[in-house]
mmCIF file of all heavy atoms in Angstrom:
data_model
loop_
_atom_site.group_PDB
_atom_site.id
_atom_site.type_symbol
_atom_site.label_atom_id
_atom_site.label_comp_id
_atom_site.label_asym_id
_atom_site.label_seq_id
_atom_site.Cartn_x
_atom_site.Cartn_y
_atom_site.Cartn_z
ATOM 1 N N LEU A 239 94.776 121.610 131.355
ATOM 2 C CA LEU A 239 95.754 120.928 132.265
ATOM 3 C C LEU A 239 95.387 121.205 133.743
ATOM 4 O O LEU A 239 95.773 120.547 134.598
ATOM 5 C CB LEU A 239 97.204 121.507 131.988
ATOM 6 C CG LEU A 239 97.672 121.444 130.563
ATOM 7 C CD1 LEU A 239 99.054 122.175 130.436
ATOM 8 C CD2 LEU A 239 97.861 120.040 130.091
ATOM 9 N N ASP A 240 94.473 122.148 133.891
ATOM 10 C CA ASP A 240 93.955 122.528 135.247
ATOM 11 C C ASP A 240 95.066 122.944 136.211
ATOM 12 O O ASP A 240 95.041 122.677 137.356
ATOM 13 C CB ASP A 240 93.165 121.314 135.817
ATOM 14 C CG ASP A 240 92.266 121.757 136.992
ATOM 15 O OD1 ASP A 240 91.585 122.859 136.965
ATOM 16 O OD2 ASP A 240 92.287 121.035 138.041
ATOM 17 N N LEU A 241 95.971 123.726 135.600
ATOM 18 C CA LEU A 241 97.194 124.100 136.354
ATOM 19 C C LEU A 241 96.889 125.148 137.433
ATOM 20 O O LEU A 241 96.205 126.107 137.179
ATOM 21 C CB LEU A 241 98.274 124.644 135.450
ATOM 22 C CG LEU A 241 98.854 123.597 134.441
ATOM 23 C CD1 LEU A 241 99.885 124.291 133.507
ATOM 24 C CD2 LEU A 241 99.631 122.502 135.234
ATOM 25 N N LYS A 242 97.490 124.876 138.644
ATOM 26 C CA LYS A 242 97.385 125.862 139.677
ATOM 27 C C LYS A 242 98.837 126.104 140.160
ATOM 28 O O LYS A 242 99.730 125.313 139.956
ATOM 29 C CB LYS A 242 96.585 125.244 140.829
ATOM 30 C CG LYS A 242 95.179 124.943 140.349
ATOM 31 C CD LYS A 242 94.288 124.243 141.242
ATOM 32 C CE LYS A 242 92.948 124.153 140.632
ATOM 33 N NZ LYS A 242 92.435 122.797 140.490
ATOM 34 N N GLU A 243 99.022 127.261 140.808
ATOM 35 C CA GLU A 243 100.448 127.590 141.071
ATOM 36 C C GLU A 243 101.180 126.583 141.963
ATOM 37 O O GLU A 243 102.394 126.538 142.022
ATOM 38 C CB GLU A 243 100.437 129.000 141.730
ATOM 39 C CG GLU A 243 100.529 130.103 140.668
ATOM 40 C CD GLU A 243 100.677 131.437 141.284
ATOM 41 O OE1 GLU A 243 100.703 131.604 142.543
ATOM 42 O OE2 GLU A 243 100.645 132.453 140.487
ATOM 43 N N THR A 244 100.444 125.785 142.697
ATOM 44 C CA THR A 244 101.052 124.773 143.606
ATOM 45 C C THR A 244 101.465 123.494 142.814
ATOM 46 O O THR A 244 101.990 122.591 143.443
ATOM 47 C CB THR A 244 100.023 124.387 144.690
ATOM 48 O OG1 THR A 244 98.811 124.126 144.052
ATOM 49 C CG2 THR A 244 99.900 125.523 145.713
ATOM 50 N N ASP A 245 101.142 123.498 141.560
ATOM 51 C CA ASP A 245 101.441 122.215 140.844
ATOM 52 C C ASP A 245 102.813 122.043 140.448
ATOM 53 O O ASP A 245 103.645 122.969 140.290
ATOM 54 C CB ASP A 245 100.578 122.191 139.557
ATOM 55 C CG ASP A 245 99.177 121.741 139.746
ATOM 56 O OD1 ASP A 245 98.994 120.699 140.444
ATOM 57 O OD2 ASP A 245 98.217 122.360 139.276
ATOM 58 N N VAL A 246 103.205 120.676 140.409
ATOM 59 C CA VAL A 246 104.447 120.284 139.770
ATOM 60 C C VAL A 246 104.107 119.543 138.549
ATOM 61 O O VAL A 246 103.321 118.586 138.568
ATOM 62 C CB VAL A 246 105.302 119.386 140.709
ATOM 63 C CG1 VAL A 246 106.582 118.944 140.068
ATOM 64 C CG2 VAL A 246 105.625 120.076 142.019
ATOM 65 N N TYR A 247 104.605 119.982 137.387
ATOM 66 C CA TYR A 247 104.061 119.620 136.073
ATOM 67 C C TYR A 247 105.152 118.994 135.275
ATOM 68 O O TYR A 247 106.328 119.496 135.298
ATOM 69 C CB TYR A 247 103.464 120.867 135.404
ATOM 70 C CG TYR A 247 103.114 120.699 133.900
ATOM 71 C CD1 TYR A 247 101.991 120.040 133.640
ATOM 72 C CD2 TYR A 247 103.936 121.244 132.938
ATOM 73 C CE1 TYR A 247 101.633 119.890 132.234
ATOM 74 C CE2 TYR A 247 103.654 121.123 131.660
ATOM 75 C CZ TYR A 247 102.492 120.421 131.244
ATOM 76 O OH TYR A 247 102.219 120.288 129.978
ATOM 77 N N TRP A 248 104.855 117.884 134.574
ATOM 78 C CA TRP A 248 105.862 117.300 133.690
ATOM 79 C C TRP A 248 105.201 117.002 132.306
ATOM 80 O O TRP A 248 104.188 116.255 132.307
ATOM 81 C CB TRP A 248 106.350 115.961 134.348
ATOM 82 C CG TRP A 248 107.458 115.276 133.501
ATOM 83 C CD1 TRP A 248 108.261 115.875 132.597
ATOM 84 C CD2 TRP A 248 107.686 113.867 133.421
ATOM 85 N NE1 TRP A 248 109.095 114.912 132.000
ATOM 86 C CE2 TRP A 248 108.751 113.704 132.512
ATOM 87 C CE3 TRP A 248 107.153 112.767 134.115
ATOM 88 C CZ2 TRP A 248 109.278 112.427 132.215
ATOM 89 C CZ3 TRP A 248 107.685 111.535 133.819
ATOM 90 C CH2 TRP A 248 108.707 111.312 132.896
ATOM 91 N N CYS A 249 105.810 117.557 131.299
ATOM 92 C CA CYS A 249 105.406 117.272 129.949
ATOM 93 C C CYS A 249 106.509 116.491 129.344
ATOM 94 O O CYS A 249 107.673 116.917 129.342
ATOM 95 C CB CYS A 249 105.202 118.624 129.231
ATOM 96 S SG CYS A 249 105.044 118.426 127.409
ATOM 97 N N THR A 250 106.235 115.294 128.827
ATOM 98 C CA THR A 250 107.308 114.419 128.426
ATOM 99 C C THR A 250 107.812 114.715 126.991
ATOM 100 O O THR A 250 108.748 114.035 126.582
ATOM 101 C CB THR A 250 106.800 112.926 128.436
ATOM 102 O OG1 THR A 250 105.714 112.763 127.556
ATOM 103 C CG2 THR A 250 106.391 112.503 129.794
ATOM 104 N N ALA A 251 107.257 115.693 126.304
ATOM 105 C CA ALA A 251 107.743 115.982 124.930
ATOM 106 C C ALA A 251 109.020 116.712 124.879
ATOM 107 O O ALA A 251 109.255 117.600 125.721
ATOM 108 C CB ALA A 251 106.612 116.735 124.198
ATOM 109 N N ASP A 252 109.846 116.368 123.906
ATOM 110 C CA ASP A 252 111.135 117.105 123.717
ATOM 111 C C ASP A 252 110.801 118.549 123.145
ATOM 112 O O ASP A 252 109.865 118.701 122.414
ATOM 113 C CB ASP A 252 111.936 116.325 122.692
ATOM 114 C CG ASP A 252 113.375 116.933 122.520
ATOM 115 O OD1 ASP A 252 113.489 117.904 121.739
ATOM 116 O OD2 ASP A 252 114.295 116.384 123.120
ATOM 117 N N PRO A 253 111.578 119.535 123.570
ATOM 118 C CA PRO A 253 111.224 120.926 123.092
ATOM 119 C C PRO A 253 111.568 121.082 121.623
ATOM 120 O O PRO A 253 111.363 122.181 121.169
ATOM 121 C CB PRO A 253 112.170 121.819 124.020
ATOM 122 C CG PRO A 253 113.155 120.903 124.580
ATOM 123 C CD PRO A 253 112.638 119.554 124.599
ATOM 124 N N GLY A 254 112.097 120.044 120.955
ATOM 125 C CA GLY A 254 112.264 120.153 119.531
ATOM 126 C C GLY A 254 110.880 119.948 118.773
ATOM 127 O O GLY A 254 110.760 120.249 117.647
ATOM 128 N N TRP A 255 109.842 119.537 119.471
ATOM 129 C CA TRP A 255 108.480 119.421 118.955
ATOM 130 C C TRP A 255 107.687 120.434 119.576
ATOM 131 O O TRP A 255 107.905 120.928 120.725
ATOM 132 C CB TRP A 255 107.882 118.028 119.244
ATOM 133 C CG TRP A 255 108.692 116.846 118.830
ATOM 134 C CD1 TRP A 255 108.956 115.812 119.702
ATOM 135 C CD2 TRP A 255 109.348 116.507 117.578
ATOM 136 N NE1 TRP A 255 109.734 114.843 119.028
ATOM 137 C CE2 TRP A 255 109.978 115.308 117.745
ATOM 138 C CE3 TRP A 255 109.402 117.125 116.379
ATOM 139 C CZ2 TRP A 255 110.686 114.625 116.753
ATOM 140 C CZ3 TRP A 255 110.095 116.568 115.362
ATOM 141 C CH2 TRP A 255 110.721 115.304 115.562
ATOM 142 N N VAL A 256 106.535 120.740 118.950
ATOM 143 C CA VAL A 256 105.644 121.766 119.363
ATOM 144 C C VAL A 256 105.111 121.620 120.805
ATOM 145 O O VAL A 256 104.940 122.517 121.613
ATOM 146 C CB VAL A 256 104.521 122.088 118.411
ATOM 147 C CG1 VAL A 256 103.451 120.912 118.452
ATOM 148 C CG2 VAL A 256 103.788 123.329 118.588
ATOM 149 N N THR A 257 104.821 120.325 121.098
ATOM 150 C CA THR A 257 104.269 120.069 122.498
ATOM 151 C C THR A 257 105.200 120.403 123.508
ATOM 152 O O THR A 257 104.898 120.999 124.565
ATOM 153 C CB THR A 257 103.835 118.583 122.663
ATOM 154 O OG1 THR A 257 103.078 118.179 121.557
ATOM 155 C CG2 THR A 257 103.032 118.381 123.862
ATOM 156 N N GLY A 258 106.458 120.200 123.321
ATOM 157 C CA GLY A 258 107.505 120.479 124.278
ATOM 158 C C GLY A 258 107.735 122.027 124.416
ATOM 159 O O GLY A 258 108.351 122.393 125.419
ATOM 160 N N ILE A 259 107.257 122.779 123.533
ATOM 161 C CA ILE A 259 107.353 124.276 123.668
ATOM 162 C C ILE A 259 106.016 124.754 124.240
ATOM 163 O O ILE A 259 105.939 125.354 125.279
ATOM 164 C CB ILE A 259 107.592 124.914 122.314
ATOM 165 C CG1 ILE A 259 108.822 124.378 121.626
ATOM 166 C CG2 ILE A 259 107.720 126.424 122.492
ATOM 167 C CD1 ILE A 259 110.171 124.991 121.934
ATOM 168 N N SER A 260 104.861 124.526 123.492
ATOM 169 C CA SER A 260 103.566 125.125 123.869
ATOM 170 C C SER A 260 103.173 124.635 125.301
ATOM 171 O O SER A 260 102.681 125.459 126.128
ATOM 172 C CB SER A 260 102.532 124.768 122.898
ATOM 173 O OG SER A 260 102.803 125.390 121.677
ATOM 174 N N TYR A 261 103.389 123.313 125.567
ATOM 175 C CA TYR A 261 102.968 122.752 126.865
ATOM 176 C C TYR A 261 104.151 122.302 127.665
ATOM 177 O O TYR A 261 103.915 121.814 128.819
ATOM 178 C CB TYR A 261 101.935 121.662 126.656
ATOM 179 C CG TYR A 261 100.659 122.311 126.131
ATOM 180 C CD1 TYR A 261 100.455 122.389 124.720
ATOM 181 C CD2 TYR A 261 99.819 123.046 127.016
ATOM 182 C CE1 TYR A 261 99.315 123.139 124.259
ATOM 183 C CE2 TYR A 261 98.674 123.705 126.477
ATOM 184 C CZ TYR A 261 98.434 123.813 125.190
ATOM 185 O OH TYR A 261 97.389 124.498 124.677
ATOM 186 N N GLY A 262 105.321 122.443 127.182
ATOM 187 C CA GLY A 262 106.593 122.091 127.969
ATOM 188 C C GLY A 262 107.137 123.446 128.531
ATOM 189 O O GLY A 262 107.925 123.444 129.497
ATOM 190 N N ILE A 263 106.837 124.595 127.952
ATOM 191 C CA ILE A 263 107.390 125.845 128.415
ATOM 192 C C ILE A 263 106.273 126.887 128.574
ATOM 193 O O ILE A 263 106.034 127.404 129.675
ATOM 194 C CB ILE A 263 108.380 126.367 127.411
ATOM 195 C CG1 ILE A 263 109.594 125.300 127.378
ATOM 196 C CG2 ILE A 263 108.938 127.683 127.866
ATOM 197 C CD1 ILE A 263 110.762 125.709 126.460
ATOM 198 N N TRP A 264 105.555 127.204 127.494
ATOM 199 C CA TRP A 264 104.625 128.398 127.630
ATOM 200 C C TRP A 264 103.487 128.155 128.665
ATOM 201 O O TRP A 264 103.363 128.980 129.563
ATOM 202 C CB TRP A 264 103.947 128.677 126.292
ATOM 203 C CG TRP A 264 104.820 128.906 125.093
ATOM 204 C CD1 TRP A 264 104.667 128.539 123.799
ATOM 205 C CD2 TRP A 264 105.968 129.835 124.921
ATOM 206 N NE1 TRP A 264 105.623 128.931 122.970
ATOM 207 C CE2 TRP A 264 106.406 129.701 123.603
ATOM 208 C CE3 TRP A 264 106.758 130.549 125.899
ATOM 209 C CZ2 TRP A 264 107.617 130.414 123.179
ATOM 210 C CZ3 TRP A 264 107.925 131.213 125.418
ATOM 211 C CH2 TRP A 264 108.264 131.114 124.112
ATOM 212 N N ALA A 265 102.736 127.025 128.455
ATOM 213 C CA ALA A 265 101.596 126.880 129.299
ATOM 214 C C ALA A 265 101.975 126.790 130.801
ATOM 215 O O ALA A 265 101.319 127.553 131.650
ATOM 216 C CB ALA A 265 100.762 125.694 128.854
ATOM 217 N N PRO A 266 102.964 125.973 131.215
ATOM 218 C CA PRO A 266 103.264 125.895 132.670
ATOM 219 C C PRO A 266 103.796 127.202 133.179
ATOM 220 O O PRO A 266 103.387 127.607 134.266
ATOM 221 C CB PRO A 266 104.283 124.797 132.745
ATOM 222 C CG PRO A 266 104.826 124.608 131.332
ATOM 223 C CD PRO A 266 103.674 124.920 130.434
ATOM 224 N N TRP A 267 104.677 127.881 132.479
ATOM 225 C CA TRP A 267 105.256 129.046 133.022
ATOM 226 C C TRP A 267 104.365 130.270 132.954
ATOM 227 O O TRP A 267 104.435 131.169 133.828
ATOM 228 C CB TRP A 267 106.602 129.375 132.349
ATOM 229 C CG TRP A 267 107.690 128.450 133.020
ATOM 230 C CD1 TRP A 267 107.533 127.730 134.108
ATOM 231 C CD2 TRP A 267 109.056 128.371 132.516
ATOM 232 N NE1 TRP A 267 108.695 127.104 134.417
ATOM 233 C CE2 TRP A 267 109.663 127.475 133.461
ATOM 234 C CE3 TRP A 267 109.851 128.886 131.584
ATOM 235 C CZ2 TRP A 267 111.022 127.103 133.372
ATOM 236 C CZ3 TRP A 267 111.155 128.601 131.444
ATOM 237 C CH2 TRP A 267 111.787 127.708 132.331
ATOM 238 N N LEU A 268 103.446 130.326 131.936
ATOM 239 C CA LEU A 268 102.542 131.447 131.967
ATOM 240 C C LEU A 268 101.598 131.233 133.193
ATOM 241 O O LEU A 268 101.081 132.235 133.728
ATOM 242 C CB LEU A 268 101.681 131.442 130.649
ATOM 243 C CG LEU A 268 102.409 131.955 129.448
ATOM 244 C CD1 LEU A 268 101.638 131.616 128.148
ATOM 245 C CD2 LEU A 268 102.625 133.444 129.572
ATOM 246 N N ASN A 269 101.423 129.989 133.603
ATOM 247 C CA ASN A 269 100.561 129.751 134.881
ATOM 248 C C ASN A 269 101.452 129.684 136.150
ATOM 249 O O ASN A 269 100.914 129.338 137.225
ATOM 250 C CB ASN A 269 99.832 128.413 134.605
ATOM 251 C CG ASN A 269 98.558 128.580 133.754
ATOM 252 O OD1 ASN A 269 97.549 129.160 134.234
ATOM 253 N ND2 ASN A 269 98.642 128.224 132.473
ATOM 254 N N GLY A 270 102.713 129.960 135.960
ATOM 255 C CA GLY A 270 103.519 130.034 137.133
ATOM 256 C C GLY A 270 103.798 128.778 137.875
ATOM 257 O O GLY A 270 104.060 128.761 139.077
ATOM 258 N N VAL A 271 103.804 127.596 137.248
ATOM 259 C CA VAL A 271 103.929 126.394 137.973
ATOM 260 C C VAL A 271 105.388 125.837 137.830
ATOM 261 O O VAL A 271 106.123 126.229 136.964
ATOM 262 C CB VAL A 271 102.988 125.242 137.470
ATOM 263 C CG1 VAL A 271 101.603 125.785 137.367
ATOM 264 C CG2 VAL A 271 103.415 124.609 136.180
ATOM 265 N N THR A 272 105.752 124.921 138.689
ATOM 266 C CA THR A 272 107.041 124.222 138.678
ATOM 267 C C THR A 272 107.060 123.205 137.538
ATOM 268 O O THR A 272 106.207 122.386 137.448
ATOM 269 C CB THR A 272 107.385 123.609 140.051
ATOM 270 O OG1 THR A 272 107.320 124.553 141.040
ATOM 271 C CG2 THR A 272 108.691 122.896 140.009
ATOM 272 N N ASN A 273 108.094 123.312 136.760
ATOM 273 C CA ASN A 273 108.158 122.518 135.557
ATOM 274 C C ASN A 273 109.297 121.563 135.648
ATOM 275 O O ASN A 273 110.387 121.940 135.962
ATOM 276 C CB ASN A 273 108.416 123.558 134.399
ATOM 277 C CG ASN A 273 107.979 123.078 133.003
ATOM 278 O OD1 ASN A 273 107.423 121.940 132.991
ATOM 279 N ND2 ASN A 273 108.318 123.803 132.034
ATOM 280 N N VAL A 274 109.018 120.291 135.348
ATOM 281 C CA VAL A 274 110.100 119.250 135.335
ATOM 282 C C VAL A 274 110.500 118.968 133.953
ATOM 283 O O VAL A 274 109.683 118.861 133.015
ATOM 284 C CB VAL A 274 109.445 117.889 135.983
ATOM 285 C CG1 VAL A 274 110.488 116.791 135.910
ATOM 286 C CG2 VAL A 274 109.051 118.193 137.403
ATOM 287 N N VAL A 275 111.887 118.907 133.800
ATOM 288 C CA VAL A 275 112.419 118.562 132.472
ATOM 289 C C VAL A 275 113.240 117.390 132.627
ATOM 290 O O VAL A 275 114.105 117.339 133.552
ATOM 291 C CB VAL A 275 113.288 119.735 131.942
ATOM 292 C CG1 VAL A 275 113.948 119.364 130.610
ATOM 293 C CG2 VAL A 275 112.383 121.001 131.703
ATOM 294 N N TYR A 276 112.974 116.390 131.807
ATOM 295 C CA TYR A 276 113.827 115.199 131.810
ATOM 296 C C TYR A 276 114.570 114.985 130.496
ATOM 297 O O TYR A 276 113.932 115.056 129.441
ATOM 298 C CB TYR A 276 112.959 113.963 132.213
ATOM 299 C CG TYR A 276 113.672 112.685 131.959
ATOM 300 C CD1 TYR A 276 114.769 112.298 132.709
ATOM 301 C CD2 TYR A 276 113.265 111.761 130.903
ATOM 302 C CE1 TYR A 276 115.478 111.117 132.449
ATOM 303 C CE2 TYR A 276 113.954 110.596 130.694
ATOM 304 C CZ TYR A 276 115.022 110.258 131.497
ATOM 305 O OH TYR A 276 115.684 109.139 131.256
ATOM 306 N N ASN A 277 115.850 114.756 130.523
ATOM 307 C CA ASN A 277 116.535 114.452 129.286
ATOM 308 C C ASN A 277 117.152 113.098 129.410
ATOM 309 O O ASN A 277 118.119 112.901 130.202
ATOM 310 C CB ASN A 277 117.602 115.556 129.013
ATOM 311 C CG ASN A 277 118.519 115.157 127.988
ATOM 312 O OD1 ASN A 277 118.073 114.414 127.003
ATOM 313 N ND2 ASN A 277 119.709 115.612 127.978
#
Side-chain angles (χ1 to χ4, degrees):
L239 306 174
D240 196 43
L241 292 175
K242 303 175 172 121
E243 277 185 355
T244 47
D245 276 313
V246 178
Y247 168 79
W248 180 28
C249 169
T250 60
D252 186 279
W255 309 128
V256 73
T257 312
I259 307 270
S260 295
Y261 292 95
I263 298 180
W264 306 138
W267 279 354
L268 287 166
N269 281 282
V271 314
T272 300
N273 202 5
V274 175
V275 174
Y276 166 67
N277 170 28

